[in-house]
């Protein structure tokens, strides 16, 4: 990862901006209109004929929806200092964030909820997560626990998921969009790994169904639980770590599942 970051810094800022523009499928004219500069100026920045100011780099990055981590890399490539902090979640400055997360997770019990980082590693979880960790291989529970690996691995939740093909396609599709949006090589590696768990994972398509979303149908003993999931993020973050946190909450998709989980 370090080598990749160093190679990124060595690339000119204009080249990096062009890569992000092409990833967002915008023309130079589209971007110029959004940023309110001339197409000529965008062209000069991308080709290195004009060095963008620090403010211009940030404006372009904002309109290109570049993640904060990568905005820092753009600034470094342009010869400027990063503006977004990257504090450890366990540092004193993150105390308020940690307390907020724990309150959210606790309030969601008895239903499962967890917080993951950009790479889907679990950083916090509530007691309800025990529903997903029972009867899985111990190595999948070694820190850091990867939520997606735990879900799709043959020694993880996969044998207990009744609609595994549907869940796999949904997970892989979502992860592929994240890879496209971030160009993160570690996420690409995770995607390739998960896709390799099942031969049908890359070819299957979501079936035509009356469902409006894909629930996870999880077997527990002689019961089948049906769970829906939502993902939330922090609004207007100014720290890289905070911007990459995702709060995943599971909800019962039917009354039988709700009653059962409340009884546990």
């Amino acid at each position: 990862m370090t080598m990749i970051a160093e190679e990124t810094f060595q690339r000119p800022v204009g080249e990096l901006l062009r890569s992000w523009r092409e990833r967002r499928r915008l023309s130079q004219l589209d971007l110029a209109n959004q940023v309110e500069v001339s197409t000529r100026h965008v062209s000069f920045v991308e080709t290195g004929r004009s060095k963008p100011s620090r403010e211009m780099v940030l404006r372009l990055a904002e309109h290109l929806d570049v993640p904060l981590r990568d905005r820092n890399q753009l600034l470094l490539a342009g010869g400027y200092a990063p503006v977004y902090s990257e504090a450890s979640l366990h540092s004193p400055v993150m105390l308020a964030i940690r307390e907020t997360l724990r309150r959210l997770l606790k309030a969601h019990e008895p239903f499962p909820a967890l917080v993951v980082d950009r790479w889907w590693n679990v950083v916090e979880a509530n007691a309800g997560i025990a529903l997903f960790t029972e009867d899985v291989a111990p190595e999948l529970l070694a820190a850091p626990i990867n939520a997606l690996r735990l879900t799709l691995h043959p020694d993880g939740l996969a044998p207990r998921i009744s609609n595994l093909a549907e869940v796999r396609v949904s997970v892989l599709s979502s992860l592929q969009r994240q890879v496209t949006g971030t160009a993160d090589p570690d996420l690409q590696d995770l995607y390739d790994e998960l896709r390799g768990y099942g031969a049908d994972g890359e070819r299957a398509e979501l079936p035509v169904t009356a469902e409006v979303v894909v629930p996870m149908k999880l077997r527990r003993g002689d019961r089948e639980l049906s769970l829906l999931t939502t993902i939330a993020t922090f609004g207007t973050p100014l720290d890289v770590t905070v911007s990459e946190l995702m709060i995943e909450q599971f909800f019962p998709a039917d009354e039988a599942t709700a009653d059962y989980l409340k009884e546990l």
Side-chain angles (χ1 to χ4, degrees):
M1 184 67 178
T2 302
M3 290 181 61
I4 292 173
E6 289 176 353
E7 291 174 0
T8 298
F9 297 154
Q10 291 172 1
R11 295 172 61 189
V13 63
E15 182 180 328
L16 293 174
L17 286 167
R18 183 177 69 247
S19 296
W20 281 106
R21 177 179 60 77
E22 292 173 346
R23 190 172 293 119
R24 298 296 183 246
R25 298 184 179 183
L26 292 174
S27 67
Q28 289 183 344
L29 177 59
D30 293 331
L31 180 58
N33 287 336
Q34 291 181 19
V35 184
E36 297 182 343
V37 297
S38 68
T39 306
R40 178 187 177 90
H41 185 60
V42 171
S43 176
F44 276 25
V45 167
E46 291 186 351
T47 58
R49 296 179 66 181
S50 175
K51 180 181 177 180
S53 66
R54 174 177 172 276
E55 291 70 23
M56 179 56 65
V57 171
L58 290 172
R59 283 178 61 191
L60 290 169
E62 179 180 0
H63 285 278
L64 290 170
D65 194 25
V66 177
L68 299 194
R69 177 181 300 274
D70 301 285
R71 294 187 195 189
N72 277 345
Q73 292 183 357
L74 286 172
L75 288 167
L76 286 169
Y80 305 108
V83 298
Y84 300 103
S85 63
E86 186 176 358
S88 167
L89 193 58
H90 301 289
S91 64
V93 296
M94 288 290 198
L95 179 60
I97 296 295
R98 293 200 310 273
E99 291 181 344
T100 297
L101 291 173
R102 288 167 182 165
R103 282 196 296 269
L104 283 171
L105 297 180
K106 183 66 177 177
H108 196 64
E109 293 177 356
F111 310 133
L114 60 153
V115 180
V116 297
D117 61 18
R118 171 170 171 157
W119 303 280
W120 290 89
N121 295 318
V122 178
V123 296
E124 291 281 354
N126 68 3
I129 200 66
L131 184 68
F132 300 144
T133 58
E134 58 187 14
D135 301 326
V136 304
E139 57 267 24
L140 294 176
L141 300 180
I145 301 173
N146 187 276
L148 299 188
R149 183 179 293 116
L150 180 69
T151 301
L152 297 185
H153 196 285
D155 296 326
L157 276 180
R160 294 171 51 206
I161 300 176
S162 303
N163 60 334
L164 180 59
E166 295 175 32
V167 171
R168 180 184 291 127
V169 172
S170 179
V171 168
L172 289 177
S173 298
S174 178
L175 183 56
Q176 188 174 45
R177 289 193 295 271
Q178 189 180 359
V179 170
T180 302
T182 62
D184 189 312
D186 290 338
L187 283 175
Q188 180 66 59
D189 289 344
L190 178 62
Y191 174 81
D192 293 338
E193 176 190 338
L194 299 183
R195 191 176 60 177
Y197 288 160
D200 60 331
E202 56 184 305
R203 296 192 302 269
E205 296 180 358
L206 290 176
V208 177
T209 174
E211 303 279 3
V212 293
V213 294
V214 177
M216 176 190 289
K217 298 180 180 179
L218 186 67
R219 291 187 295 269
R220 190 174 193 268
D222 59 352
R223 292 178 178 269
E224 182 179 84
L225 308 178
S226 186
L227 298 164
L228 300 176
T229 181
T230 65
I231 294 179
T233 58
F234 282 94
T236 62
L238 294 176
D239 180 89
V240 172
T241 301
V242 176
S243 73
E244 294 175 348
L245 293 176
M246 295 177 284
I247 307 161
E248 185 169 21
Q249 297 173 296
F250 291 83
F251 295 86
D254 53 48
E255 288 299 324
T257 298
D259 292 342
Y260 179 74
L261 293 178
K262 290 174 182 177
E263 291 173 1
L264 289 180

